[in-house]
Amino acid sequence: MSTARPTPGAPAPPPGDGLPWTRNDALVAVAVGVVDLIGFTITIQTELGYVPVKGCLLIVGAAVPLLMRCRAPLLTLAAVLLIGLALNLTVPVPQHFNASAAVALYTVARAKRPAVTAVAAPVTVVVTLIAENTWPRPGLADTLANMAGGALVLIAASLVNRWQREQAAKRQMLTDRALADERRRIARELHDIVAHHITTMQLMAGGARANLGRNPEVAREALVTLEGSGRMALREMRQLLDVLRAGDEVEDEPTSPQPGVGDLERIVEDSCRAGLPAVLDTRGAERPLPPSVGLTVFRIVQEALTNARKYAGQARASVRLTYEPDAVAVEVTDDGEGVSTRHPAGSGYGLVGMRERVVLHGGTLETGPRDEGGFRVAARLPLTAGEGVRR
């Protein structure tokens, strides 16, 4: 028995569980058999005054092939039509487009190409018109009723196919959007890691080279800081790569937690050693923050200090972290030369990454030069009721 290639939105073949049909197919067959049996019993009782057992067996038997409708839609339709034809030629009852024929034609319309359906539909309408007491001259009302039944089945199958195609396209769009968001997130992480640590390593290497001959102790401290910054960059890069490899292999060594507000003192000290004096001012009642919020605060401060070291020249920086009842605010300012003309305010991957991080948390970000000189980066991240402080 050959099976047709399923089209998008068509019923899936049953799993290999030892049975050639699925539980849904069995439920459909039983439901269709019950509906057809009830309709046949009422109709034949009205017409003949009794219910023939042979007719009941044939009407129930017409629903049995529906068990195979997912595996062989065309063969199922053929079997249903043949059993229905035997019923119409055996029992003197007016023809009818019963539920078994409707479900079998619907399955063909869902699973097969339109050309196949265009042939199966008229064949189904004609075969169900054949009856002992009306053929070869079926009544006009019977013909119109069968044609209307077949048309309704085709319309229903077409609408369901269209809906499933739209749902598949929507799922693909959501998948593509999620992948794009993940790529942007990874790009932000890479930029923050590389920009901060490479800038620090470059400054430390320059300081070590300048003091190598005249002040070996300062050069040694710079090299130690350079080594630590390189080690930190490798560890953060490895954490990011572990996320990309998630599910591929099991890591024996547990990864370190993502940085947060507890690491602000470290990057402020790194900034001081790299040549940009900076201070950290924490205000409000300190409390644990959600990991994503803490990481966002850390990356904002990291990027702002990195930009200050690159563009502010001889300057001092200040980092202010404020715990509010329903939010956390962070502000990084410097009194240097500000952003150069090649890096206008609001441009660059660093500032774009900051803004994307803040927007993801429903916060606000303000960046720009200060009236008294220098540059300012200020962000405010709201917290939910459970994360904030109850008044």
Side-chain angles (χ1 to χ4, degrees):
M1 181 183 299
S2 62
T3 58
R5 177 187 298 180
T7 57
D17 55 358
L19 294 176
W21 58 79
T22 65
R23 182 177 59 181
N24 290 338
D25 291 335
L27 293 176
V28 168
V30 171
V32 168
V34 171
V35 170
D36 280 346
L37 183 60
I38 294 175
F40 173 77
T41 301
I42 296 174
T43 303
I44 203 68
Q45 181 68 34
T46 303
E47 293 290 332
L48 302 180
Y50 67 96
V51 179
V53 177
K54 182 185 298 185
C56 293
L57 295 178
L58 288 174
I59 202 71
V60 173
V64 174
L66 296 178
L67 293 171
M68 302 294 297
R69 67 189 188 97
C70 289
R71 280 188 176 272
L74 283 176
L75 292 179
T76 298
L77 177 61
V80 169
L81 293 180
L82 288 177
I83 299 175
L85 181 61
L87 172 66
N88 291 340
L89 295 178
T90 301
V91 181
V93 64
Q95 59 74 34
H96 57 285
F97 196 94
N98 59 13
S100 297
V103 171
L105 179 59
Y106 172 83
T107 304
V108 171
R110 289 287 316 281
K112 296 298 182 179
R113 299 187 301 272
V116 177
T117 305
V119 176
V123 170
T124 302
V125 171
V126 171
V127 171
T128 53
L129 281 173
I130 300 175
E132 181 182 2
N133 55 351
T134 60
W135 189 259
R137 295 181 180 180
L140 179 60
D142 294 337
T143 303
L144 293 178
N146 275 25
M147 293 177 62
L152 289 176
V153 170
L154 296 182
I155 291 173
S158 176
L159 291 177
V160 172
N161 280 341
R162 179 179 178 181
W163 177 79
Q164 288 201 345
R165 286 194 298 268
E166 291 176 352
Q167 293 300 312
K170 186 181 296 185
R171 286 193 297 269
Q172 184 63 41
M173 181 185 66
L174 293 176
T175 301
D176 294 341
R177 183 180 300 174
L179 291 175
D181 292 342
E182 185 66 13
R183 285 195 295 268
R184 284 194 294 269
R185 187 190 69 81
I186 294 173
R188 288 195 303 265
E189 292 293 332
L190 283 174
H191 175 271
D192 292 342
I193 294 171
V194 173
H196 170 72
H197 291 292
I198 296 301
T199 300
T200 302
M201 293 166 67
Q202 179 185 7
L203 294 175
M204 290 294 98
R209 178 180 53 82
N211 291 279
L212 190 59
R214 56 186 179 183
N215 197 337
E217 185 62 25
V218 174
R220 188 188 68 82
E221 292 181 359
L223 291 175
V224 170
T225 303
L226 176 62
E227 180 184 7
S229 184
R231 189 180 300 109
M232 182 76 66
L234 288 176
R235 183 165 63 249
E236 293 186 10
M237 289 286 290
R238 181 182 178 185
Q239 290 178 357
L240 188 60
L241 293 176
D242 286 343
V243 173
L244 299 179
R245 291 199 307 264
D248 294 342
E249 57 185 12
V250 179
E251 293 288 341
D252 296 332
E253 181 182 351
T255 58
S256 302
Q258 289 279 22
V261 294
D263 300 280
L264 294 182
E265 292 185 1
R266 173 177 58 81
I267 60 173
V268 168
E269 293 174 358
D270 290 344
S271 177
C272 295
R273 287 192 292 265
L276 176 68
V279 294
L280 174 62
D281 180 17
T282 302
R283 301 184 179 184
E286 297 186 20
R287 61 185 183 276
L289 297 177
S292 59
V293 175
L295 177 61
T296 298
V297 172
F298 177 86
R299 293 303 187 197
I300 290 174
V301 175
Q302 185 183 59
E303 179 64 24
L305 292 178
T306 300
N307 289 339
R309 288 199 298 268
K310 292 166 64 176
Y311 307 125
Q314 298 296 325
R316 298 179 63 86
S318 173
V319 179
R320 178 183 299 173
L321 178 65
T322 304
Y323 291 92
E324 301 177 3
D326 56 352
V328 61
V330 61
E331 182 183 52
V332 182
T333 58
D334 66 75
D335 56 3
E337 300 173 359
V339 182
S340 68
T341 56
R342 292 179 299 173
H343 299 274
S347 67
Y349 291 110
L351 295 180
V352 171
M354 287 186 199
R355 196 170 304 279
E356 289 178 348
R357 291 179 184 276
V358 172
V359 169
L360 286 176
H361 293 280
T364 58
L365 177 70
E366 297 178 3
T367 61
R370 304 166 64 201
D371 295 336
E372 59 272 26
F375 199 78
R376 174 177 177 265
V377 175
R380 185 178 184 274
L381 304 174
L383 302 175
T384 62
E387 298 164 348
V389 174
R390 295 184 179 181
R391 296 181 181 275

